[in-house]
Amino acid sequence: MKKFDRLQRFCLFLLAAALIVPTGCGESMPPQNTVSRKGMVVSVNDLATRVGVDILRQGGNAVDAAIGVGFALAVVYPEAGNLGGGGFMVIRFPDRPPTSIDFRETAPSAAHRDMYLTESGAVDPEKSLRGYLAAGVPGTVKGLELAHRLYGRMPWKRLVQPAVELAEQGFRLSEDQARSWRNMAGAFPSTFRVFGHAWDVFARNERFCQPDLAQTLIAIRDEGDSGFYTGRIAELIEADMKRNGGLVTVQDLAGYRAVERQPIIGSYRGYEVISMPPPSSGGIALIEMLNILEGYNLADLGPESPETVHRVVEAMRLAFADRALYLGDPDFVDIPVEKLTDKTYADELLSQIQLGVAGRSSMFSVSARGSFFHESHETTHYSIADSTGLTVAVTTTLNGVYGSLAVVDSAGFLLNNEMDDFTAKPGEPNLYGLIQGTANAIEPHKRMLSSMTPTIVVRDSQLVLAAGSPGGPTIINTVLQVLLHSIDFESTIDEAVSAPRFHHQWFPDVIDYESDRFDPLLLRQLEEWGYSLNPVTSLGKAHALAFDALNKTFRGAADPRGKGSARGY
Ligand code: GLY
């Protein structure tokens, strides 16, 4: 960025900070770029964002706000917000080492390696994507409860109550929501009972209420996680599973555990990068790519130069190949975390990159070839910081948009289709993009590998930024590019979030890039170096925040690719 531009931007930033007003806020759109002094919440849905800010205002900390936002999203954003899914939370404290909470779903005890194969041995994607057999044991309620028990400050009931009210009293739908909810509702009768009337409610300008979901949330509010994992809700889940060919039992639910894990911590040009460990592949792949890229002077090469894209793509290729070979549930497979995140190993990888020539995915790690599998691009991320600098990055998902499409009858929430994130048939490619090895094969109680990459960056004990995104495997590369823009190219967080993105995931050996956002000369140069290019509409929807240590202000950035909001106070 030119110096003059930077000065201009800095002055505008100071002005906005002094006024503490949201910027970039249209009348019909919630604020997407906001500056505030005391805290910041950035999420995909403005009702949920407001719940988080209210909790901060009432004296809750960032963990409390994250719990409130998580439950609110389960009501207002059934596309990915959830009670029936799972996710990851990375927490950075101002005064102690960071931590993470793993609430990834697990395979039910009756699951087995070949459960998604047909009699002829072919993968049946319908079985792992749609309906009750696609669901893993949900982790979200346990995860939020564990985060609260360890690090929350406000009473649990006050954190769940806003979601109860949203479900009981309802809220107005946008036209897009009403259309989408009605269209997906036909999948199962129980889903139709909850969402089938969405369009009529919208057309009558009424509030959309979810009485069954409200009762489920009241049980969680009053009984904590046992209100979900035991008793009436657990029995409703099991009964629905039995009626519809699913595997999750009351014993699976009672046995589910969320886990506090040591985060993956790396360094990049003097910044500390804190991210999610396995069973997410995100943190390891992110640090591996950053370690490789530290060997280049990207700042001099510029953000959208062919030289930078070339180097970043090669780092992506190498990290995704290792992801396929090594990564899975750490409770089931040995993962060489130290090696993969080691800078000497990154130097070895860097020496394999031939500048001016596109690498070839088939040239290395061939033994890693497992099966292609599809990772959904529907997930959601929220970032929260409070006035103490306590910062929380949460990525949560049902996997596909609306998960398995199956609502638990009389309980009002959608089940995940996260079983599709396992390797359905190790050793054989199928239709879709990403390759995995046997480390991620299905086993009872195992967690499926994820790409979710909730990440926090710190420098000299000061918060720098928090970020994450939906997007299946593109999540990792979206977060990488937000970090590169912030650190190497000195962009503000909203510039970093909105900058054009590209993606390479080892196989297929092709660069996806956001069409109409890159210079044709850059694309031509990449083709001359031997790359295959694939234009796509958009990659990721990052929700990020940054802290300006000089001015002691937070800046929130909801991705302009989506309709999320950033609010502070
Ligand atoms: N289901 C998407 C992910 O976990 O990466």
Side-chain angles (χ1 to χ4, degrees), residues 137-153:
V137 183
T140 294
V141 178
K142 278 271 188 196
L144 297 182
E145 187 279 336
L146 180 62
H148 181 257
R149 183 155 35 91
L150 297 176
Y151 304 114
R153 190 157 69 192

mmCIF file with all atom_site columns, all heavy atoms in Angstrom, residues 137-153:
data_model
loop_
_atom_site.group_PDB
_atom_site.id
_atom_site.type_symbol
_atom_site.label_atom_id
_atom_site.label_alt_id
_atom_site.label_comp_id
_atom_site.label_asym_id
_atom_site.label_entity_id
_atom_site.label_seq_id
_atom_site.pdbx_PDB_ins_code
_atom_site.Cartn_x
_atom_site.Cartn_y
_atom_site.Cartn_z
_atom_site.occupancy
_atom_site.B_iso_or_equiv
_atom_site.pdbx_formal_charge
_atom_site.auth_seq_id
_atom_site.auth_comp_id
_atom_site.auth_asym_id
_atom_site.auth_atom_id
_atom_site.pdbx_PDB_model_num
ATOM 1   N N   . VAL A 1 137 ? -22.741 -37.544 16.541 1.00 0.00 ? 137 VAL A N   1
ATOM 2   C CA  . VAL A 1 137 ? -23.254 -37.153 17.862 1.00 0.00 ? 137 VAL A CA  1
ATOM 3   C C   . VAL A 1 137 ? -22.947 -35.666 18.064 1.00 0.00 ? 137 VAL A C   1
ATOM 4   O O   . VAL A 1 137 ? -21.787 -35.252 17.994 1.00 0.00 ? 137 VAL A O   1
ATOM 5   C CB  . VAL A 1 137 ? -22.573 -37.989 18.974 1.00 0.00 ? 137 VAL A CB  1
ATOM 6   C CG1 . VAL A 1 137 ? -23.157 -37.623 20.335 1.00 0.00 ? 137 VAL A CG1 1
ATOM 7   C CG2 . VAL A 1 137 ? -22.707 -39.474 18.689 1.00 0.00 ? 137 VAL A CG2 1
ATOM 8   N N   . PRO A 1 138 ? -23.987 -34.841 18.272 1.00 0.00 ? 138 PRO A N   1
ATOM 9   C CA  . PRO A 1 138 ? -23.766 -33.385 18.343 1.00 0.00 ? 138 PRO A CA  1
ATOM 10  C C   . PRO A 1 138 ? -22.851 -32.972 19.510 1.00 0.00 ? 138 PRO A C   1
ATOM 11  O O   . PRO A 1 138 ? -22.893 -33.578 20.582 1.00 0.00 ? 138 PRO A O   1
ATOM 12  C CB  . PRO A 1 138 ? -25.176 -32.817 18.563 1.00 0.00 ? 138 PRO A CB  1
ATOM 13  C CG  . PRO A 1 138 ? -26.120 -33.889 18.142 1.00 0.00 ? 138 PRO A CG  1
ATOM 14  C CD  . PRO A 1 138 ? -25.424 -35.187 18.401 1.00 0.00 ? 138 PRO A CD  1
ATOM 15  N N   . GLY A 1 139 ? -22.065 -31.913 19.286 1.00 0.00 ? 139 GLY A N   1
ATOM 16  C CA  . GLY A 1 139 ? -21.123 -31.477 20.315 1.00 0.00 ? 139 GLY A CA  1
ATOM 17  C C   . GLY A 1 139 ? -21.344 -30.066 20.845 1.00 0.00 ? 139 GLY A C   1
ATOM 18  O O   . GLY A 1 139 ? -20.775 -29.681 21.874 1.00 0.00 ? 139 GLY A O   1
ATOM 19  N N   . THR A 1 140 ? -22.172 -29.276 20.163 1.00 0.00 ? 140 THR A N   1
ATOM 20  C CA  . THR A 1 140 ? -22.216 -27.842 20.454 1.00 0.00 ? 140 THR A CA  1
ATOM 21  C C   . THR A 1 140 ? -22.613 -27.515 21.895 1.00 0.00 ? 140 THR A C   1
ATOM 22  O O   . THR A 1 140 ? -21.970 -26.686 22.552 1.00 0.00 ? 140 THR A O   1
ATOM 23  C CB  . THR A 1 140 ? -23.170 -27.142 19.456 1.00 0.00 ? 140 THR A CB  1
ATOM 24  O OG1 . THR A 1 140 ? -22.571 -27.248 18.160 1.00 0.00 ? 140 THR A OG1 1
ATOM 25  C CG2 . THR A 1 140 ? -23.386 -25.682 19.805 1.00 0.00 ? 140 THR A CG2 1
ATOM 26  N N   . VAL A 1 141 ? -23.672 -28.160 22.388 1.00 0.00 ? 141 VAL A N   1
ATOM 27  C CA  . VAL A 1 141 ? -24.162 -27.779 23.723 1.00 0.00 ? 141 VAL A CA  1
ATOM 28  C C   . VAL A 1 141 ? -23.098 -28.111 24.780 1.00 0.00 ? 141 VAL A C   1
ATOM 29  O O   . VAL A 1 141 ? -22.823 -27.308 25.684 1.00 0.00 ? 141 VAL A O   1
ATOM 30  C CB  . VAL A 1 141 ? -25.516 -28.470 24.021 1.00 0.00 ? 141 VAL A CB  1
ATOM 31  C CG1 . VAL A 1 141 ? -25.994 -28.121 25.422 1.00 0.00 ? 141 VAL A CG1 1
ATOM 32  C CG2 . VAL A 1 141 ? -26.558 -28.045 22.985 1.00 0.00 ? 141 VAL A CG2 1
ATOM 33  N N   . LYS A 1 142 ? -22.465 -29.270 24.646 1.00 0.00 ? 142 LYS A N   1
ATOM 34  C CA  . LYS A 1 142 ? -21.384 -29.627 25.595 1.00 0.00 ? 142 LYS A CA  1
ATOM 35  C C   . LYS A 1 142 ? -20.216 -28.646 25.481 1.00 0.00 ? 142 LYS A C   1
ATOM 36  O O   . LYS A 1 142 ? -19.587 -28.289 26.478 1.00 0.00 ? 142 LYS A O   1
ATOM 37  C CB  . LYS A 1 142 ? -20.850 -31.033 25.301 1.00 0.00 ? 142 LYS A CB  1
ATOM 38  C CG  . LYS A 1 142 ? -21.671 -32.151 25.873 1.00 0.00 ? 142 LYS A CG  1
ATOM 39  C CD  . LYS A 1 142 ? -21.239 -32.519 27.279 1.00 0.00 ? 142 LYS A CD  1
ATOM 40  C CE  . LYS A 1 142 ? -21.981 -33.788 27.687 1.00 0.00 ? 142 LYS A CE  1
ATOM 41  N NZ  . LYS A 1 142 ? -21.942 -34.044 29.124 1.00 0.00 ? 142 LYS A NZ  1
ATOM 42  N N   . GLY A 1 143 ? -19.907 -28.249 24.248 1.00 0.00 ? 143 GLY A N   1
ATOM 43  C CA  . GLY A 1 143 ? -18.773 -27.346 24.051 1.00 0.00 ? 143 GLY A CA  1
ATOM 44  C C   . GLY A 1 143 ? -19.016 -25.992 24.691 1.00 0.00 ? 143 GLY A C   1
ATOM 45  O O   . GLY A 1 143 ? -18.137 -25.442 25.380 1.00 0.00 ? 143 GLY A O   1
ATOM 46  N N   . LEU A 1 144 ? -20.215 -25.467 24.497 1.00 0.00 ? 144 LEU A N   1
ATOM 47  C CA  . LEU A 1 144 ? -20.521 -24.157 25.079 1.00 0.00 ? 144 LEU A CA  1
ATOM 48  C C   . LEU A 1 144 ? -20.596 -24.262 26.603 1.00 0.00 ? 144 LEU A C   1
ATOM 49  O O   . LEU A 1 144 ? -20.158 -23.359 27.330 1.00 0.00 ? 144 LEU A O   1
ATOM 50  C CB  . LEU A 1 144 ? -21.819 -23.604 24.483 1.00 0.00 ? 144 LEU A CB  1
ATOM 51  C CG  . LEU A 1 144 ? -21.780 -23.340 22.959 1.00 0.00 ? 144 LEU A CG  1
ATOM 52  C CD1 . LEU A 1 144 ? -23.098 -22.744 22.479 1.00 0.00 ? 144 LEU A CD1 1
ATOM 53  C CD2 . LEU A 1 144 ? -20.621 -22.436 22.563 1.00 0.00 ? 144 LEU A CD2 1
ATOM 54  N N   . GLU A 1 145 ? -21.111 -25.401 27.087 1.00 0.00 ? 145 GLU A N   1
ATOM 55  C CA  . GLU A 1 145 ? -21.179 -25.597 28.547 1.00 0.00 ? 145 GLU A CA  1
ATOM 56  C C   . GLU A 1 145 ? -19.768 -25.680 29.139 1.00 0.00 ? 145 GLU A C   1
ATOM 57  O O   . GLU A 1 145 ? -19.490 -25.094 30.188 1.00 0.00 ? 145 GLU A O   1
ATOM 58  C CB  . GLU A 1 145 ? -21.986 -26.864 28.850 1.00 0.00 ? 145 GLU A CB  1
ATOM 59  C CG  . GLU A 1 145 ? -22.284 -27.092 30.315 1.00 0.00 ? 145 GLU A CG  1
ATOM 60  C CD  . GLU A 1 145 ? -21.144 -27.728 31.111 1.00 0.00 ? 145 GLU A CD  1
ATOM 61  O OE1 . GLU A 1 145 ? -20.291 -28.421 30.500 1.00 0.00 ? 145 GLU A OE1 1
ATOM 62  O OE2 . GLU A 1 145 ? -21.099 -27.521 32.336 1.00 0.00 ? 145 GLU A OE2 1
ATOM 63  N N   . LEU A 1 146 ? -18.862 -26.395 28.448 1.00 0.00 ? 146 LEU A N   1
ATOM 64  C CA  . LEU A 1 146 ? -17.490 -26.521 28.970 1.00 0.00 ? 146 LEU A CA  1
ATOM 65  C C   . LEU A 1 146 ? -16.798 -25.150 28.979 1.00 0.00 ? 146 LEU A C   1
ATOM 66  O O   . LEU A 1 146 ? -16.139 -24.785 29.963 1.00 0.00 ? 146 LEU A O   1
ATOM 67  C CB  . LEU A 1 146 ? -16.693 -27.512 28.109 1.00 0.00 ? 146 LEU A CB  1
ATOM 68  C CG  . LEU A 1 146 ? -15.247 -27.739 28.540 1.00 0.00 ? 146 LEU A CG  1
ATOM 69  C CD1 . LEU A 1 146 ? -15.167 -28.344 29.952 1.00 0.00 ? 146 LEU A CD1 1
ATOM 70  C CD2 . LEU A 1 146 ? -14.512 -28.658 27.542 1.00 0.00 ? 146 LEU A CD2 1
ATOM 71  N N   . ALA A 1 147 ? -16.973 -24.400 27.907 1.00 0.00 ? 147 ALA A N   1
ATOM 72  C CA  . ALA A 1 147 ? -16.363 -23.061 27.847 1.00 0.00 ? 147 ALA A CA  1
ATOM 73  C C   . ALA A 1 147 ? -16.881 -22.205 29.000 1.00 0.00 ? 147 ALA A C   1
ATOM 74  O O   . ALA A 1 147 ? -16.116 -21.481 29.651 1.00 0.00 ? 147 ALA A O   1
ATOM 75  C CB  . ALA A 1 147 ? -16.680 -22.402 26.509 1.00 0.00 ? 147 ALA A CB  1
ATOM 76  N N   . HIS A 1 148 ? -18.177 -22.316 29.273 1.00 0.00 ? 148 HIS A N   1
ATOM 77  C CA  . HIS A 1 148 ? -18.756 -21.517 30.348 1.00 0.00 ? 148 HIS A CA  1
ATOM 78  C C   . HIS A 1 148 ? -18.227 -21.947 31.709 1.00 0.00 ? 148 HIS A C   1
ATOM 79  O O   . HIS A 1 148 ? -17.848 -21.121 32.544 1.00 0.00 ? 148 HIS A O   1
ATOM 80  C CB  . HIS A 1 148 ? -20.282 -21.633 30.319 1.00 0.00 ? 148 HIS A CB  1
ATOM 81  C CG  . HIS A 1 148 ? -20.940 -20.820 31.386 1.00 0.00 ? 148 HIS A CG  1
ATOM 82  N ND1 . HIS A 1 148 ? -21.448 -21.365 32.539 1.00 0.00 ? 148 HIS A ND1 1
ATOM 83  C CD2 . HIS A 1 148 ? -21.113 -19.480 31.499 1.00 0.00 ? 148 HIS A CD2 1
ATOM 84  C CE1 . HIS A 1 148 ? -21.928 -20.399 33.295 1.00 0.00 ? 148 HIS A CE1 1
ATOM 85  N NE2 . HIS A 1 148 ? -21.737 -19.256 32.701 1.00 0.00 ? 148 HIS A NE2 1
ATOM 86  N N   . ARG A 1 149 ? -18.201 -23.271 31.911 1.00 0.00 ? 149 ARG A N   1
ATOM 87  C CA  . ARG A 1 149 ? -17.757 -23.788 33.220 1.00 0.00 ? 149 ARG A CA  1
ATOM 88  C C   . ARG A 1 149 ? -16.315 -23.365 33.490 1.00 0.00 ? 149 ARG A C   1
ATOM 89  O O   . ARG A 1 149 ? -15.957 -22.996 34.611 1.00 0.00 ? 149 ARG A O   1
ATOM 90  C CB  . ARG A 1 149 ? -17.883 -25.319 33.212 1.00 0.00 ? 149 ARG A CB  1
ATOM 91  C CG  . ARG A 1 149 ? -17.532 -25.993 34.507 1.00 0.00 ? 149 ARG A CG  1
ATOM 92  C CD  . ARG A 1 149 ? -18.223 -27.350 34.660 1.00 0.00 ? 149 ARG A CD  1
ATOM 93  N NE  . ARG A 1 149 ? -18.402 -28.121 33.460 1.00 0.00 ? 149 ARG A NE  1
ATOM 94  C CZ  . ARG A 1 149 ? -17.538 -29.013 32.988 1.00 0.00 ? 149 ARG A CZ  1
ATOM 95  N NH1 . ARG A 1 149 ? -16.394 -29.225 33.614 1.00 0.00 ? 149 ARG A NH1 1
ATOM 96  N NH2 . ARG A 1 149 ? -17.797 -29.701 31.895 1.00 0.00 ? 149 ARG A NH2 1
ATOM 97  N N   . LEU A 1 150 ? -15.471 -23.383 32.456 1.00 0.00 ? 150 LEU A N   1
ATOM 98  C CA  . LEU A 1 150 ? -14.057 -23.069 32.665 1.00 0.00 ? 150 LEU A CA  1
ATOM 99  C C   . LEU A 1 150 ? -13.781 -21.569 32.684 1.00 0.00 ? 150 LEU A C   1
ATOM 100 O O   . LEU A 1 150 ? -12.968 -21.095 33.474 1.00 0.00 ? 150 LEU A O   1
ATOM 101 C CB  . LEU A 1 150 ? -13.210 -23.727 31.565 1.00 0.00 ? 150 LEU A CB  1
ATOM 102 C CG  . LEU A 1 150 ? -13.227 -25.256 31.522 1.00 0.00 ? 150 LEU A CG  1
ATOM 103 C CD1 . LEU A 1 150 ? -12.422 -25.762 30.329 1.00 0.00 ? 150 LEU A CD1 1
ATOM 104 C CD2 . LEU A 1 150 ? -12.665 -25.845 32.816 1.00 0.00 ? 150 LEU A CD2 1
ATOM 105 N N   . TYR A 1 151 ? -14.449 -20.829 31.796 1.00 0.00 ? 151 TYR A N   1
ATOM 106 C CA  . TYR A 1 151 ? -14.006 -19.445 31.591 1.00 0.00 ? 151 TYR A CA  1
ATOM 107 C C   . TYR A 1 151 ? -15.114 -18.398 31.562 1.00 0.00 ? 151 TYR A C   1
ATOM 108 O O   . TYR A 1 151 ? -14.832 -17.217 31.363 1.00 0.00 ? 151 TYR A O   1
ATOM 109 C CB  . TYR A 1 151 ? -13.199 -19.363 30.280 1.00 0.00 ? 151 TYR A CB  1
ATOM 110 C CG  . TYR A 1 151 ? -12.034 -20.323 30.283 1.00 0.00 ? 151 TYR A CG  1
ATOM 111 C CD1 . TYR A 1 151 ? -11.986 -21.401 29.406 1.00 0.00 ? 151 TYR A CD1 1
ATOM 112 C CD2 . TYR A 1 151 ? -11.004 -20.182 31.214 1.00 0.00 ? 151 TYR A CD2 1
ATOM 113 C CE1 . TYR A 1 151 ? -10.928 -22.307 29.441 1.00 0.00 ? 151 TYR A CE1 1
ATOM 114 C CE2 . TYR A 1 151 ? -9.956  -21.086 31.257 1.00 0.00 ? 151 TYR A CE2 1
ATOM 115 C CZ  . TYR A 1 151 ? -9.926  -22.147 30.366 1.00 0.00 ? 151 TYR A CZ  1
ATOM 116 O OH  . TYR A 1 151 ? -8.891  -23.027 30.414 1.00 0.00 ? 151 TYR A OH  1
ATOM 117 N N   . GLY A 1 152 ? -16.368 -18.817 31.746 1.00 0.00 ? 152 GLY A N   1
ATOM 118 C CA  . GLY A 1 152 ? -17.469 -17.852 31.709 1.00 0.00 ? 152 GLY A CA  1
ATOM 119 C C   . GLY A 1 152 ? -17.582 -17.092 33.013 1.00 0.00 ? 152 GLY A C   1
ATOM 120 O O   . GLY A 1 152 ? -16.993 -17.467 34.039 1.00 0.00 ? 152 GLY A O   1
ATOM 121 N N   . ARG A 1 153 ? -18.336 -16.006 32.989 1.00 0.00 ? 153 ARG A N   1
ATOM 122 C CA  . ARG A 1 153 ? -18.473 -15.178 34.179 1.00 0.00 ? 153 ARG A CA  1
ATOM 123 C C   . ARG A 1 153 ? -19.952 -14.973 34.540 1.00 0.00 ? 153 ARG A C   1
ATOM 124 O O   . ARG A 1 153 ? -20.330 -14.986 35.683 1.00 0.00 ? 153 ARG A O   1
ATOM 125 C CB  . ARG A 1 153 ? -17.812 -13.820 33.909 1.00 0.00 ? 153 ARG A CB  1
ATOM 126 C CG  . ARG A 1 153 ? -17.677 -12.948 35.141 1.00 0.00 ? 153 ARG A CG  1
ATOM 127 C CD  . ARG A 1 153 ? -16.584 -11.932 34.973 1.00 0.00 ? 153 ARG A CD  1
ATOM 128 N NE  . ARG A 1 153 ? -16.931 -10.907 33.987 1.00 0.00 ? 153 ARG A NE  1
ATOM 129 C CZ  . ARG A 1 153 ? -16.058 -10.036 33.494 1.00 0.00 ? 153 ARG A CZ  1
ATOM 130 N NH1 . ARG A 1 153 ? -14.794 -10.073 33.869 1.00 0.00 ? 153 ARG A NH1 1
ATOM 131 N NH2 . ARG A 1 153 ? -16.438 -9.124  32.622 1.00 0.00 ? 153 ARG A NH2 1
#
